[in-house]
Amino acid sequence: MNLISHNHNYKIITWAVLGGTVVALSAEIVLNFLGIGMGLSSFRVKPDTLTKISTCSIIWLTISGCTSMLLGGWVAGKISCCFQYKNRIMHGLLAWGLATLITVFVTATAAGTIVGGFTNVVSGSVNNITLSADNATGNVEINSNQDAEDFSELSMAMSIAFLLSAIASMGGAAFARPEGTTEGFSDENPHL
């Protein structure tokens, strides 16, 4: 059972999509640890550190995501042994989609676990400082409009990063033609 679907023009090879996904996720992990190491080695506490860290993080996640998806798309296209570049692009897009879903699921699960643990710690501490919190309430000002604007900007940046990684994955798959062929971007060869 090597085919997900079969159309007159397209065959999707399951192992090619899974192979591209595994390579893309593995490369993403390696590049993210490299980014964490570089970021921590250059970390200096200054007033504007948080803004610089978040900007650099988004840039690094975009670069590492595009690089790993380019590699994963190339592997998916190469393993598929498809002569038609449209089929290779489809393999790259499916590998990107699967890798993205796995990444979002793992991130959401980890974030939920961290928030759940943090909530338990905070709820235990809140009972001890209720009186001092009542006195300090007048000094705390919450700017929800700024928080919403910051979240909106972050969301837009991450959307662009995901789209760029999808394009990189399809591009890598398009250029991963099978050995011994020189067809480039034509669909003249009707094999697979």
Side-chain angles (χ1 to χ4, degrees):
M1 180 168 280
N2 207 13
L3 301 176
I4 293 175
S5 76
H6 176 62
N7 193 343
H8 296 291
N9 296 322
Y10 296 105
K11 285 186 179 180
I12 304 300
I13 310 298
T14 307
W15 295 113
V17 173
L18 292 176
T21 301
V22 167
V23 168
L25 290 174
S26 300
E28 183 75 23
I29 290 169
V30 169
L31 290 173
N32 282 339
F33 276 117
L34 176 66
I36 290 170
M38 290 185 329
L40 290 177
S41 68
S42 65
F43 182 70
R44 303 286 180 263
V45 179
K46 294 180 184 174
D48 61 344
T49 301
L50 208 51
T51 304
K52 287 181 180 177
I53 288 175
S54 63
T55 302
C56 291
S57 296
I58 290 172
I59 291 170
W60 181 256
L61 285 174
T62 302
I63 291 171
S64 66
C66 288
T67 304
S68 63
M69 291 302 157
L70 178 77
L71 184 60
W74 185 82
V75 167
K78 197 70 160 174
I79 293 174
S80 71
C81 296
C82 294
F83 290 96
Q84 294 179 348
Y85 79 98
K86 291 178 185 176
N87 286 355
R88 293 191 304 266
I89 288 173
M90 188 61 67
H91 282 86
L93 184 61
L94 289 172
W96 168 82
L98 185 58
T100 300
L101 288 174
I102 291 170
T103 301
V104 169
F105 176 75
V106 169
T107 303
T109 303
T113 302
I114 290 169
V115 169
F118 179 72
T119 303
N120 290 337
V121 169
V122 169
S123 66
S125 301
V126 166
N127 293 332
N128 296 332
I129 59 170
T130 303
L131 291 176
S132 61
D134 288 339
N135 295 334
T137 306
N139 298 329
V140 177
E141 182 179 326
I142 299 173
N143 189 352
S144 61
N145 289 335
Q146 183 63 38
D147 292 341
E149 187 177 311
D150 291 344
F151 185 73
S152 174
E153 290 173 2
L154 175 67
S155 194
M156 289 298 293
M158 292 308 295
S159 296
I160 291 169
F162 276 125
L163 289 174
L164 289 174
S165 69
I167 292 168
S169 181
M170 292 184 295
F175 287 105
R177 63 176 180 254
E179 298 293 324
T181 62
T182 58
E183 109 291 338
F185 284 106
S186 70
D187 282 332
E188 295 173 7
N189 194 340
H191 298 99
L192 279 179

PDB file of all heavy atoms in Angstrom, residues 17-54:
ATOM      1  N   VAL A  17       6.781  11.113   1.162  1.00  0.00           N
ATOM      2  CA  VAL A  17       6.249  12.186   2.021  1.00  0.00           C
ATOM      3  C   VAL A  17       6.742  12.005   3.452  1.00  0.00           C
ATOM      4  O   VAL A  17       7.189  12.964   4.096  1.00  0.00           O
ATOM      5  CB  VAL A  17       4.704  12.212   1.964  1.00  0.00           C
ATOM      6  CG1 VAL A  17       4.142  13.193   2.974  1.00  0.00           C
ATOM      7  CG2 VAL A  17       4.227  12.549   0.558  1.00  0.00           C
ATOM      8  N   LEU A  18       6.692  10.781   3.968  1.00  0.00           N
ATOM      9  CA  LEU A  18       7.160  10.529   5.336  1.00  0.00           C
ATOM     10  C   LEU A  18       8.659  10.768   5.475  1.00  0.00           C
ATOM     11  O   LEU A  18       9.119  11.326   6.475  1.00  0.00           O
ATOM     12  CB  LEU A  18       6.799   9.106   5.764  1.00  0.00           C
ATOM     13  CG  LEU A  18       5.305   8.828   5.941  1.00  0.00           C
ATOM     14  CD1 LEU A  18       5.072   7.361   6.278  1.00  0.00           C
ATOM     15  CD2 LEU A  18       4.710   9.723   7.009  1.00  0.00           C
ATOM     16  N   GLY A  19       9.430  10.344   4.467  1.00  0.00           N
ATOM     17  CA  GLY A  19      10.880  10.571   4.494  1.00  0.00           C
ATOM     18  C   GLY A  19      11.218  12.052   4.491  1.00  0.00           C
ATOM     19  O   GLY A  19      12.076  12.515   5.254  1.00  0.00           O
ATOM     20  N   GLY A  20      10.543  12.820   3.646  1.00  0.00           N
ATOM     21  CA  GLY A  20      10.761  14.263   3.615  1.00  0.00           C
ATOM     22  C   GLY A  20      10.377  14.920   4.931  1.00  0.00           C
ATOM     23  O   GLY A  20      11.050  15.840   5.402  1.00  0.00           O
ATOM     24  N   THR A  21       9.308  14.439   5.549  1.00  0.00           N
ATOM     25  CA  THR A  21       8.861  14.982   6.839  1.00  0.00           C
ATOM     26  C   THR A  21       9.884  14.706   7.931  1.00  0.00           C
ATOM     27  O   THR A  21      10.214  15.593   8.722  1.00  0.00           O
ATOM     28  CB  THR A  21       7.494  14.383   7.223  1.00  0.00           C
ATOM     29  OG1 THR A  21       6.553  14.700   6.194  1.00  0.00           O
ATOM     30  CG2 THR A  21       7.003  14.925   8.547  1.00  0.00           C
ATOM     31  N   VAL A  22      10.388  13.486   7.977  1.00  0.00           N
ATOM     32  CA  VAL A  22      11.375  13.120   9.002  1.00  0.00           C
ATOM     33  C   VAL A  22      12.642  13.959   8.838  1.00  0.00           C
ATOM     34  O   VAL A  22      13.187  14.495   9.824  1.00  0.00           O
ATOM     35  CB  VAL A  22      11.692  11.606   8.935  1.00  0.00           C
ATOM     36  CG1 VAL A  22      12.919  11.258   9.742  1.00  0.00           C
ATOM     37  CG2 VAL A  22      10.497  10.793   9.399  1.00  0.00           C
ATOM     38  N   VAL A  23      13.108  14.108   7.611  1.00  0.00           N
ATOM     39  CA  VAL A  23      14.318  14.903   7.378  1.00  0.00           C
ATOM     40  C   VAL A  23      14.073  16.365   7.738  1.00  0.00           C
ATOM     41  O   VAL A  23      14.914  17.012   8.371  1.00  0.00           O
ATOM     42  CB  VAL A  23      14.785  14.753   5.912  1.00  0.00           C
ATOM     43  CG1 VAL A  23      15.850  15.773   5.561  1.00  0.00           C
ATOM     44  CG2 VAL A  23      15.300  13.347   5.671  1.00  0.00           C
ATOM     45  N   ALA A  24      12.914  16.908   7.366  1.00  0.00           N
ATOM     46  CA  ALA A  24      12.607  18.313   7.672  1.00  0.00           C
ATOM     47  C   ALA A  24      12.539  18.543   9.180  1.00  0.00           C
ATOM     48  O   ALA A  24      13.101  19.520   9.690  1.00  0.00           O
ATOM     49  CB  ALA A  24      11.290  18.715   7.013  1.00  0.00           C
ATOM     50  N   LEU A  25      11.871  17.661   9.915  1.00  0.00           N
ATOM     51  CA  LEU A  25      11.769  17.825  11.371  1.00  0.00           C
ATOM     52  C   LEU A  25      13.124  17.655  12.051  1.00  0.00           C
ATOM     53  O   LEU A  25      13.456  18.397  12.980  1.00  0.00           O
ATOM     54  CB  LEU A  25      10.755  16.835  11.945  1.00  0.00           C
ATOM     55  CG  LEU A  25       9.291  17.103  11.587  1.00  0.00           C
ATOM     56  CD1 LEU A  25       8.402  15.972  12.088  1.00  0.00           C
ATOM     57  CD2 LEU A  25       8.830  18.436  12.150  1.00  0.00           C
ATOM     58  N   SER A  26      13.924  16.707  11.582  1.00  0.00           N
ATOM     59  CA  SER A  26      15.255  16.503  12.155  1.00  0.00           C
ATOM     60  C   SER A  26      16.143  17.716  11.918  1.00  0.00           C
ATOM     61  O   SER A  26      16.842  18.172  12.830  1.00  0.00           O
ATOM     62  CB  SER A  26      15.904  15.252  11.557  1.00  0.00           C
ATOM     63  OG  SER A  26      15.123  14.121  11.836  1.00  0.00           O
ATOM     64  N   ALA A  27      16.116  18.236  10.705  1.00  0.00           N
ATOM     65  CA  ALA A  27      16.910  19.431  10.400  1.00  0.00           C
ATOM     66  C   ALA A  27      16.425  20.622  11.217  1.00  0.00           C
ATOM     67  O   ALA A  27      17.236  21.435  11.692  1.00  0.00           O
ATOM     68  CB  ALA A  27      16.833  19.743   8.902  1.00  0.00           C
ATOM     69  N   GLU A  28      15.120  20.728  11.409  1.00  0.00           N
ATOM     70  CA  GLU A  28      14.563  21.829  12.205  1.00  0.00           C
ATOM     71  C   GLU A  28      15.052  21.757  13.653  1.00  0.00           C
ATOM     72  O   GLU A  28      15.406  22.774  14.252  1.00  0.00           O
ATOM     73  CB  GLU A  28      13.037  21.791  12.160  1.00  0.00           C
ATOM     74  CG  GLU A  28      12.360  22.906  12.892  1.00  0.00           C
ATOM     75  CD  GLU A  28      12.423  24.237  12.180  1.00  0.00           C
ATOM     76  OE1 GLU A  28      12.595  24.248  10.947  1.00  0.00           O
ATOM     77  OE2 GLU A  28      12.311  25.269  12.859  1.00  0.00           O
ATOM     78  N   ILE A  29      15.089  20.564  14.217  1.00  0.00           N
ATOM     79  CA  ILE A  29      15.559  20.392  15.594  1.00  0.00           C
ATOM     80  C   ILE A  29      17.023  20.802  15.708  1.00  0.00           C
ATOM     81  O   ILE A  29      17.403  21.558  16.608  1.00  0.00           O
ATOM     82  CB  ILE A  29      15.347  18.934  16.065  1.00  0.00           C
ATOM     83  CG1 ILE A  29      13.855  18.659  16.250  1.00  0.00           C
ATOM     84  CG2 ILE A  29      16.121  18.649  17.351  1.00  0.00           C
ATOM     85  CD1 ILE A  29      13.518  17.199  16.455  1.00  0.00           C
ATOM     86  N   VAL A  30      17.851  20.333  14.784  1.00  0.00           N
ATOM     87  CA  VAL A  30      19.273  20.662  14.819  1.00  0.00           C
ATOM     88  C   VAL A  30      19.480  22.169  14.676  1.00  0.00           C
ATOM     89  O   VAL A  30      20.240  22.781  15.433  1.00  0.00           O
ATOM     90  CB  VAL A  30      20.035  19.898  13.707  1.00  0.00           C
ATOM     91  CG1 VAL A  30      21.453  20.409  13.547  1.00  0.00           C
ATOM     92  CG2 VAL A  30      20.035  18.411  14.002  1.00  0.00           C
ATOM     93  N   LEU A  31      18.798  22.783  13.718  1.00  0.00           N
ATOM     94  CA  LEU A  31      18.954  24.223  13.498  1.00  0.00           C
ATOM     95  C   LEU A  31      18.414  25.042  14.669  1.00  0.00           C
ATOM     96  O   LEU A  31      18.981  26.085  15.013  1.00  0.00           O
ATOM     97  CB  LEU A  31      18.277  24.633  12.194  1.00  0.00           C
ATOM     98  CG  LEU A  31      18.964  24.141  10.923  1.00  0.00           C
ATOM     99  CD1 LEU A  31      18.121  24.450   9.703  1.00  0.00           C
ATOM    100  CD2 LEU A  31      20.351  24.748  10.784  1.00  0.00           C
ATOM    101  N   ASN A  32      17.340  24.588  15.293  1.00  0.00           N
ATOM    102  CA  ASN A  32      16.808  25.315  16.459  1.00  0.00           C
ATOM    103  C   ASN A  32      17.755  25.238  17.648  1.00  0.00           C
ATOM    104  O   ASN A  32      17.933  26.223  18.365  1.00  0.00           O
ATOM    105  CB  ASN A  32      15.420  24.816  16.830  1.00  0.00           C
ATOM    106  CG  ASN A  32      14.356  25.371  15.913  1.00  0.00           C
ATOM    107  OD1 ASN A  32      14.553  26.389  15.268  1.00  0.00           O
ATOM    108  ND2 ASN A  32      13.237  24.691  15.848  1.00  0.00           N
ATOM    109  N   PHE A  33      18.379  24.077  17.872  1.00  0.00           N
ATOM    110  CA  PHE A  33      19.361  23.991  18.950  1.00  0.00           C
ATOM    111  C   PHE A  33      20.587  24.846  18.640  1.00  0.00           C
ATOM    112  O   PHE A  33      21.169  25.457  19.537  1.00  0.00           O
ATOM    113  CB  PHE A  33      19.764  22.543  19.226  1.00  0.00           C
ATOM    114  CG  PHE A  33      18.811  21.835  20.136  1.00  0.00           C
ATOM    115  CD1 PHE A  33      18.091  20.741  19.691  1.00  0.00           C
ATOM    116  CD2 PHE A  33      18.631  22.256  21.441  1.00  0.00           C
ATOM    117  CE1 PHE A  33      17.198  20.091  20.530  1.00  0.00           C
ATOM    118  CE2 PHE A  33      17.741  21.612  22.290  1.00  0.00           C
ATOM    119  CZ  PHE A  33      17.028  20.527  21.819  1.00  0.00           C
ATOM    120  N   LEU A  34      20.977  24.912  17.386  1.00  0.00           N
ATOM    121  CA  LEU A  34      22.064  25.800  16.988  1.00  0.00           C
ATOM    122  C   LEU A  34      21.689  27.254  17.283  1.00  0.00           C
ATOM    123  O   LEU A  34      22.494  28.018  17.833  1.00  0.00           O
ATOM    124  CB  LEU A  34      22.380  25.625  15.507  1.00  0.00           C
ATOM    125  CG  LEU A  34      23.441  26.564  14.921  1.00  0.00           C
ATOM    126  CD1 LEU A  34      24.799  26.271  15.539  1.00  0.00           C
ATOM    127  CD2 LEU A  34      23.485  26.419  13.412  1.00  0.00           C
ATOM    128  N   GLY A  35      20.463  27.628  16.942  1.00  0.00           N
ATOM    129  CA  GLY A  35      19.994  28.979  17.208  1.00  0.00           C
ATOM    130  C   GLY A  35      19.929  29.287  18.690  1.00  0.00           C
ATOM    131  O   GLY A  35      20.286  30.386  19.128  1.00  0.00           O
ATOM    132  N   ILE A  36      19.482  28.327  19.493  1.00  0.00           N
ATOM    133  CA  ILE A  36      19.435  28.523  20.947  1.00  0.00           C
ATOM    134  C   ILE A  36      20.842  28.714  21.493  1.00  0.00           C
ATOM    135  O   ILE A  36      21.100  29.607  22.305  1.00  0.00           O
ATOM    136  CB  ILE A  36      18.725  27.332  21.634  1.00  0.00           C
ATOM    137  CG1 ILE A  36      17.235  27.343  21.305  1.00  0.00           C
ATOM    138  CG2 ILE A  36      18.948  27.373  23.141  1.00  0.00           C
ATOM    139  CD1 ILE A  36      16.515  26.084  21.727  1.00  0.00           C
ATOM    140  N   GLY A  37      21.770  27.896  21.020  1.00  0.00           N
ATOM    141  CA  GLY A  37      23.159  28.018  21.475  1.00  0.00           C
ATOM    142  C   GLY A  37      23.763  29.358  21.108  1.00  0.00           C
ATOM    143  O   GLY A  37      24.418  30.014  21.926  1.00  0.00           O
ATOM    144  N   MET A  38      23.550  29.798  19.877  1.00  0.00           N
ATOM    145  CA  MET A  38      24.078  31.096  19.456  1.00  0.00           C
ATOM    146  C   MET A  38      23.402  32.228  20.223  1.00  0.00           C
ATOM    147  O   MET A  38      24.053  33.205  20.604  1.00  0.00           O
ATOM    148  CB  MET A  38      23.887  31.296  17.953  1.00  0.00           C
ATOM    149  CG  MET A  38      24.762  30.402  17.120  1.00  0.00           C
ATOM    150  SD  MET A  38      24.719  30.667  15.333  1.00  0.00           S
ATOM    151  CE  MET A  38      23.102  31.244  14.976  1.00  0.00           C
ATOM    152  N   GLY A  39      22.103  32.106  20.452  1.00  0.00           N
ATOM    153  CA  GLY A  39      21.377  33.149  21.166  1.00  0.00           C
ATOM    154  C   GLY A  39      21.812  33.266  22.617  1.00  0.00           C
ATOM    155  O   GLY A  39      22.002  34.369  23.128  1.00  0.00           O
ATOM    156  N   LEU A  40      21.982  32.125  23.286  1.00  0.00           N
ATOM    157  CA  LEU A  40      22.394  32.160  24.691  1.00  0.00           C
ATOM    158  C   LEU A  40      23.834  32.640  24.853  1.00  0.00           C
ATOM    159  O   LEU A  40      24.172  33.298  25.831  1.00  0.00           O
ATOM    160  CB  LEU A  40      22.225  30.789  25.340  1.00  0.00           C
ATOM    161  CG  LEU A  40      20.779  30.342  25.562  1.00  0.00           C
ATOM    162  CD1 LEU A  40      20.751  28.931  26.142  1.00  0.00           C
ATOM    163  CD2 LEU A  40      20.042  31.309  26.469  1.00  0.00           C
ATOM    164  N   SER A  41      24.686  32.316  23.883  1.00  0.00           N
ATOM    165  CA  SER A  41      26.082  32.747  23.998  1.00  0.00           C
ATOM    166  C   SER A  41      26.224  34.254  23.798  1.00  0.00           C
ATOM    167  O   SER A  41      27.178  34.852  24.264  1.00  0.00           O
ATOM    168  CB  SER A  41      26.955  32.001  22.991  1.00  0.00           C
ATOM    169  OG  SER A  41      26.631  32.398  21.673  1.00  0.00           O
ATOM    170  N   SER A  42      25.283  34.869  23.113  1.00  0.00           N
ATOM    171  CA  SER A  42      25.373  36.313  22.883  1.00  0.00           C
ATOM    172  C   SER A  42      24.418  37.104  23.766  1.00  0.00           C
ATOM    173  O   SER A  42      24.247  38.300  23.569  1.00  0.00           O
ATOM    174  CB  SER A  42      25.063  36.616  21.414  1.00  0.00           C
ATOM    175  OG  SER A  42      23.726  36.282  21.127  1.00  0.00           O
ATOM    176  N   PHE A  43      23.822  36.459  24.737  1.00  0.00           N
ATOM    177  CA  PHE A  43      22.816  37.104  25.590  1.00  0.00           C
ATOM    178  C   PHE A  43      23.474  38.020  26.611  1.00  0.00           C
ATOM    179  O   PHE A  43      24.313  37.613  27.395  1.00  0.00           O
ATOM    180  CB  PHE A  43      21.983  36.020  26.299  1.00  0.00           C
ATOM    181  CG  PHE A  43      20.895  36.568  27.159  1.00  0.00           C
ATOM    182  CD1 PHE A  43      19.790  37.176  26.613  1.00  0.00           C
ATOM    183  CD2 PHE A  43      20.990  36.488  28.536  1.00  0.00           C
ATOM    184  CE1 PHE A  43      18.783  37.686  27.412  1.00  0.00           C
ATOM    185  CE2 PHE A  43      19.997  36.991  29.345  1.00  0.00           C
ATOM    186  CZ  PHE A  43      18.894  37.592  28.781  1.00  0.00           C
ATOM    187  N   ARG A  44      23.087  39.281  26.589  1.00  0.00           N
ATOM    188  CA  ARG A  44      23.505  40.274  27.568  1.00  0.00           C
ATOM    189  C   ARG A  44      22.252  41.014  28.028  1.00  0.00           C
ATOM    190  O   ARG A  44      21.438  41.424  27.210  1.00  0.00           O
ATOM    191  CB  ARG A  44      24.479  41.288  26.975  1.00  0.00           C
ATOM    192  CG  ARG A  44      25.725  40.688  26.387  1.00  0.00           C
ATOM    193  CD  ARG A  44      26.676  40.214  27.489  1.00  0.00           C
ATOM    194  NE  ARG A  44      27.880  39.636  26.911  1.00  0.00           N
ATOM    195  CZ  ARG A  44      28.073  38.341  26.731  1.00  0.00           C
ATOM    196  NH1 ARG A  44      27.149  37.491  27.064  1.00  0.00           N
ATOM    197  NH2 ARG A  44      29.190  37.889  26.230  1.00  0.00           N
ATOM    198  N   VAL A  45      22.100  41.202  29.323  1.00  0.00           N
ATOM    199  CA  VAL A  45      20.915  41.859  29.855  1.00  0.00           C
ATOM    200  C   VAL A  45      21.041  43.366  29.657  1.00  0.00           C
ATOM    201  O   VAL A  45      21.947  44.000  30.196  1.00  0.00           O
ATOM    202  CB  VAL A  45      20.711  41.517  31.342  1.00  0.00           C
ATOM    203  CG1 VAL A  45      19.499  42.236  31.885  1.00  0.00           C
ATOM    204  CG2 VAL A  45      20.582  40.023  31.526  1.00  0.00           C
ATOM    205  N   LYS A  46      20.121  43.909  28.860  1.00  0.00           N
ATOM    206  CA  LYS A  46      20.046  45.345  28.610  1.00  0.00           C
ATOM    207  C   LYS A  46      18.569  45.721  28.595  1.00  0.00           C
ATOM    208  O   LYS A  46      17.700  44.856  28.498  1.00  0.00           O
ATOM    209  CB  LYS A  46      20.686  45.689  27.268  1.00  0.00           C
ATOM    210  CG  LYS A  46      22.179  45.428  27.228  1.00  0.00           C
ATOM    211  CD  LYS A  46      22.759  45.776  25.881  1.00  0.00           C
ATOM    212  CE  LYS A  46      24.227  45.401  25.850  1.00  0.00           C
ATOM    213  NZ  LYS A  46      24.795  45.578  24.530  1.00  0.00           N
ATOM    214  N   PRO A  47      18.232  47.014  28.640  1.00  0.00           N
ATOM    215  CA  PRO A  47      16.817  47.411  28.668  1.00  0.00           C
ATOM    216  C   PRO A  47      16.002  46.939  27.465  1.00  0.00           C
ATOM    217  O   PRO A  47      14.856  46.572  27.613  1.00  0.00           O
ATOM    218  CB  PRO A  47      16.882  48.942  28.718  1.00  0.00           C
ATOM    219  CG  PRO A  47      18.211  49.254  29.294  1.00  0.00           C
ATOM    220  CD  PRO A  47      19.126  48.143  28.871  1.00  0.00           C
ATOM    221  N   ASP A  48      16.590  46.920  26.285  1.00  0.00           N
ATOM    222  CA  ASP A  48      15.825  46.541  25.088  1.00  0.00           C
ATOM    223  C   ASP A  48      16.095  45.096  24.663  1.00  0.00           C
ATOM    224  O   ASP A  48      15.854  44.721  23.528  1.00  0.00           O
ATOM    225  CB  ASP A  48      16.116  47.504  23.946  1.00  0.00           C
ATOM    226  CG  ASP A  48      17.584  47.501  23.547  1.00  0.00           C
ATOM    227  OD1 ASP A  48      18.404  47.001  24.333  1.00  0.00           O
ATOM    228  OD2 ASP A  48      17.881  47.989  22.446  1.00  0.00           O
ATOM    229  N   THR A  49      16.590  44.273  25.576  1.00  0.00           N
ATOM    230  CA  THR A  49      16.955  42.896  25.257  1.00  0.00           C
ATOM    231  C   THR A  49      15.766  42.076  24.781  1.00  0.00           C
ATOM    232  O   THR A  49      15.880  41.322  23.815  1.00  0.00           O
ATOM    233  CB  THR A  49      17.582  42.216  26.492  1.00  0.00           C
ATOM    234  OG1 THR A  49      18.724  42.960  26.871  1.00  0.00           O
ATOM    235  CG2 THR A  49      17.977  40.792  26.196  1.00  0.00           C
ATOM    236  N   LEU A  50      14.619  42.218  25.429  1.00  0.00           N
ATOM    237  CA  LEU A  50      13.454  41.417  25.076  1.00  0.00           C
ATOM    238  C   LEU A  50      12.992  41.670  23.652  1.00  0.00           C
ATOM    239  O   LEU A  50      12.668  40.729  22.926  1.00  0.00           O
ATOM    240  CB  LEU A  50      12.313  41.696  26.062  1.00  0.00           C
ATOM    241  CG  LEU A  50      11.323  40.567  26.277  1.00  0.00           C
ATOM    242  CD1 LEU A  50      12.028  39.282  26.596  1.00  0.00           C
ATOM    243  CD2 LEU A  50      10.361  40.924  27.375  1.00  0.00           C
ATOM    244  N   THR A  51      12.996  42.920  23.227  1.00  0.00           N
ATOM    245  CA  THR A  51      12.597  43.239  21.856  1.00  0.00           C
ATOM    246  C   THR A  51      13.568  42.643  20.856  1.00  0.00           C
ATOM    247  O   THR A  51      13.156  42.067  19.848  1.00  0.00           O
ATOM    248  CB  THR A  51      12.536  44.780  21.670  1.00  0.00           C
ATOM    249  OG1 THR A  51      11.651  45.312  22.637  1.00  0.00           O
ATOM    250  CG2 THR A  51      12.063  45.134  20.289  1.00  0.00           C
ATOM    251  N   LYS A  52      14.859  42.745  21.130  1.00  0.00           N
ATOM    252  CA  LYS A  52      15.868  42.195  20.226  1.00  0.00           C
ATOM    253  C   LYS A  52      15.778  40.667  20.171  1.00  0.00           C
ATOM    254  O   LYS A  52      15.924  40.076  19.112  1.00  0.00           O
ATOM    255  CB  LYS A  52      17.270  42.628  20.647  1.00  0.00           C
ATOM    256  CG  LYS A  52      17.555  44.077  20.352  1.00  0.00           C
ATOM    257  CD  LYS A  52      18.959  44.446  20.757  1.00  0.00           C
ATOM    258  CE  LYS A  52      19.233  45.906  20.456  1.00  0.00           C
ATOM    259  NZ  LYS A  52      20.569  46.318  20.890  1.00  0.00           N
ATOM    260  N   ILE A  53      15.559  40.047  21.312  1.00  0.00           N
ATOM    261  CA  ILE A  53      15.463  38.590  21.354  1.00  0.00           C
ATOM    262  C   ILE A  53      14.269  38.113  20.536  1.00  0.00           C
ATOM    263  O   ILE A  53      14.386  37.168  19.759  1.00  0.00           O
ATOM    264  CB  ILE A  53      15.381  38.078  22.807  1.00  0.00           C
ATOM    265  CG1 ILE A  53      16.731  38.239  23.492  1.00  0.00           C
ATOM    266  CG2 ILE A  53      14.936  36.627  22.856  1.00  0.00           C
ATOM    267  CD1 ILE A  53      16.720  37.879  24.954  1.00  0.00           C
ATOM    268  N   SER A  54      13.122  38.751  20.684  1.00  0.00           N
ATOM    269  CA  SER A  54      11.948  38.308  19.940  1.00  0.00           C
ATOM    270  C   SER A  54      12.121  38.527  18.443  1.00  0.00           C
ATOM    271  O   SER A  54      11.742  37.675  17.640  1.00  0.00           O
ATOM    272  CB  SER A  54      10.685  39.006  20.445  1.00  0.00           C
ATOM    273  OG  SER A  54      10.769  40.398  20.221  1.00  0.00           O
TER     274      SER A  54
END
